[in-house]
Amino acid sequence: MIAALTRGTVVVEAQYRSGSLVTARRAQQLGRFTMGVPGPAHQRTVGRCP
């Protein structure tokens, strides 16, 4: 629902299986502008984009 109400979505340091990524995926499906801000590359919790 949040993705449908916005012009764009920004995901900041989301884990791979998080609700933030579900929202970002839905925003892309709706044709909304989607952006991601990665965490520090040296942290183990930071993964690569699928």
Side-chain angles (χ1 to χ4, degrees), residues 3 13-14 49:
E13 293 188 33
C49 294

Side-chain angles (χ1 to χ4, degrees), residues 4-48:
L5 297 173
T6 63
R7 287 186 178 192
T9 301
V10 178
V11 177
V12 180
E13 293 188 33
Q15 292 185 1
Y16 184 69
R17 295 179 61 130
S18 70
S20 299
L21 292 183
V22 171
T23 301
R25 227 175 269 118
R26 186 68 181 136
Q28 285 183 325
Q29 291 170 350
L30 293 169
R32 303 297 197 262
F33 191 62
T34 308
M35 302 160 280
V37 179
H42 65 277
Q43 285 186 350
R44 286 186 150 201
T45 57
V46 177
R48 58 184 171 82

